[in-house]
Amino acid sequence: MELEQIYDMLVIGGGPGGYTAAIYAGRAGLSVLLLEQLGPGGQMGTTQHIDNYPGFPDGADGFDLAEKMQRQAGQFGAQTRLEPVTELKLKGAVKEAHTPFGVYRGRTVVIATGASPRKLGLPEEEAFVGKGISYCATCDGMFYRNKTVAVIGGGNSAVEEALYLSKLCEKVYLIHRRDTLRADKAGELAIKRQENIIPVWNSAVAGLNGDPDTGKLASLTLRDTKTDATRVLECQGVFVSIGRVPNTQLVEGLLDLDKQGYLVADETTCTSLPGVFAVGDVRQKPLRQIITAAADGAVAAHFAREFAG
């Protein structure tokens, strides 16, 4: 258990916000320890093709970009440990991050824990996870090659999932509660160009139906959001992309959260406790993208350096 060293900065989470904070802080001469429970990148690390990050005209692979961020942070002295944080103590001049492997102390803490996929909320949903229900096309899409699948949602993430799956699957239904997408115009046009993507408008998933022989998902029960009429849509896989839930369990009761559960922090990234900063998807903000998370990380490093003296 490591108790001797007090880092200038502890970063909780290894997405683009966390690693940018580590890069900028390390470059400024601060000692940095980044704690990540799985691997570098967060949601970015599971995105196969990123076409809106500056400097990559041909697009970037999310996993590759994440590894490069980790390597760059390491070049400036930032350490990475793959350990899940189980408890944070954020009051006082020296803060603590507890993991199953030790206790790490720091003068400042950057919360970069991101957000997790929002679930449909249907009682049978958990039973079909891994048997037809997924929340990540790039993770599980290959299991549905040449099959019929559905993507639930109408934002940029849902469009990206549908476009990715259209290259693997015979048919992709894009199911949305409204009659127009919330995605960017570029995404909307891309959907129209893919002949095997079929929009299903004004529809919500009311039920998940399994095959009695295999126990796997076989169809969806859809409810028309205008008429309440229901119908059954056959498909072998469903990819849920209806938003995200902030990963703030570690800081509930420690830091101020807004009504949606996001950390209250403005463009300075400062939270309700001195020396604690929030970056990326976990904080309240109008736009959650890789580039805005990276910007948060740079800002957090600036104010952490001032705070740490």
Side-chain angles (χ1 to χ4, degrees), residues 22-233:
I23 289 167
Y24 273 70
R27 189 169 179 270
L30 302 185
S31 56
V32 181
L33 174 64
L34 186 145
L35 297 167
E36 162 60 37
Q37 63 178 347
L38 295 174
Q43 182 186 1
M44 177 183 72
T46 65
T47 304
Q48 186 178 47
H49 186 78
I50 300 165
D51 63 5
N52 61 354
Y53 195 73
F56 294 86
D58 299 320
D61 179 271
F63 182 77
D64 181 62
L65 186 58
E67 286 196 319
K68 288 179 178 177
M69 287 185 178
Q70 181 184 19
R71 190 163 69 247
Q72 188 174 5
Q75 287 174 348
F76 289 117
Q79 300 177 41
T80 294
R81 299 200 181 197
L82 298 181
E83 301 180 18
V85 177
T86 56
E87 183 183 6
L88 289 172
K89 295 185 178 180
L90 300 176
K91 292 184 178 179
V94 177
K95 295 100 172 51
E96 293 182 355
H98 293 233
T99 81
F101 305 97
V103 177
Y104 305 100
R105 300 192 296 169
R107 296 178 180 85
T108 66
V109 173
V110 174
I111 308 295
T113 47
S116 298
R118 187 180 300 279
K119 298 187 176 182
L120 291 170
L122 296 172
E124 63 271 32
E125 185 169 2
E126 289 299 323
F128 286 112
V129 173
K131 298 180 180 180
I133 287 280
S134 175
Y135 305 91
C136 175
T138 54
C139 305
D140 301 325
M142 73 285 292
F143 298 120
Y144 300 92
R145 187 178 295 275
N146 300 322
K147 295 183 179 181
T148 296
V149 300
V151 175
I152 315 299
N156 287 324
S157 295
V159 165
E160 290 172 5
E161 299 271 275
L163 290 170
Y164 175 79
L165 290 166
S166 71
K167 296 176 176 61
L168 296 171
C169 303
E170 181 181 354
K171 188 183 297 183
V172 180
Y173 293 108
L174 180 56
I175 301 170
H176 187 37
R177 298 178 63 89
R178 301 176 180 83
D179 58 5
T180 56
L181 295 173
R182 294 182 290 106
D184 294 339
K185 192 68 176 178
E188 184 179 350
L189 292 173
I191 289 291
K192 289 180 179 178
R193 287 194 293 265
Q194 291 299 120
E195 293 182 357
N196 65 336
I197 298 180
I198 304 169
V200 181
W201 304 119
N202 301 314
S203 298
V205 180
L208 304 168
N209 312 308
D211 183 317
D213 295 326
T214 65
K216 294 182 179 180
L217 184 77
S219 66
L220 304 176
T221 299
L222 299 182
R223 177 181 60 82
D224 190 296
T225 56
K226 290 188 173 181
T227 67
D228 270 344
T230 60
R231 67 185 179 103
V232 173
L233 182 72

Side-chain angles (χ1 to χ4, degrees), residues 261-283:
Y262 289 95
L263 276 165
V264 175
D266 59 17
E267 291 304 311
T268 68
T269 73
C270 297
T271 68
S272 53
L273 281 180
V276 182
F277 308 88
V279 306
D281 288 3
V282 75
R283 83 167 179 90

Side-chain angles (χ1 to χ4, degrees), residues 54 188 252 265 296:
E188 184 179 350
E252 286 182 8
D296 285 351

